[in-house]
Amino acid sequence: QVQLVESGGGLVESGGSLRLSCAASGFTFSDYVMSWVRQAPGKGLEYVSSISRGGGSQRYADGLKGRFTISRDNAKNTMYLYMTNLKPEDTAVYYCAKRRYSGVSYLGYSDSDYPERGQGTQVTVSS
């Protein structure tokens, strides 16, 4: 059974940093492209970033590259999102998501390609 458990969220002041983690189990982690998405209060899911199976390629939503860094440690079955220079508009619940099919290299995102997500971790950025 697929399990994705996010952690590392919290309350941080504007300009601060956080590192989120996503612990994965129940599947061969290194076989899947993984992504982060977020949901701000009252809004829909928003794509954040994706990382290739080996970790060598990354993709970011417009405006986030340079502030956010995605990484993964396949030996630990864990994915990370390091967020710097946080802004109030980054306030959201952050979810890690597993791509539907293994062996895929494409880093593009659509909700339908990522049917499994964790329970999320809340990030709140105060102004």
Side-chain angles (χ1 to χ4, degrees):
Q1 182 178 355
V2 171
Q3 280 199 315
L4 300 167
V5 180
E6 301 92 339
S7 61
L11 174 64
V12 64
E13 291 184 351
S14 183
S17 301
L18 281 175
R19 189 181 80 158
L20 307 183
S21 298
C22 170
S25 61
F27 63 102
T28 304
F29 182 67
S30 59
D31 284 351
Y32 291 84
V33 169
M34 298 291 294
S35 294
W36 288 97
V37 295
R38 66 186 182 183
Q39 188 166 23
K43 297 188 177 180
L45 280 176
E46 178 188 19
Y47 171 73
V48 173
S49 182
S50 297
I51 189 165
S52 62
R53 288 171 286 155
S57 297
Q58 306 86 31
R59 179 175 181 264
Y60 297 92
D62 291 342
L64 296 183
K65 189 174 183 179
R67 292 198 300 122
F68 289 14
T69 302
I70 190 171
S71 63
R72 67 192 293 167
D73 184 339
N74 286 343
K76 296 182 178 179
N77 290 346
T78 302
M79 177 175 66
Y80 305 97
L81 185 68
Y82 184 55
M83 307 183 293
T84 63
N85 191 22
L86 283 162
K87 305 175 182 181
E89 51 263 43
D90 295 318
T91 294
V93 178
Y94 284 72
Y95 301 91
C96 67
K98 168 188 165 291
R99 195 171 181 98
R100 182 185 298 272
Y101 297 116
S102 65
V104 173
S105 299
Y106 180 58
L107 297 186
Y109 179 88
S110 67
D111 288 347
S112 62
D113 286 334
Y114 287 84
E116 292 166 301
R117 294 190 295 269
Q119 84 290 346
T121 186
Q122 175 71 48
V123 172
T124 303
V125 184
S126 63
S127 58

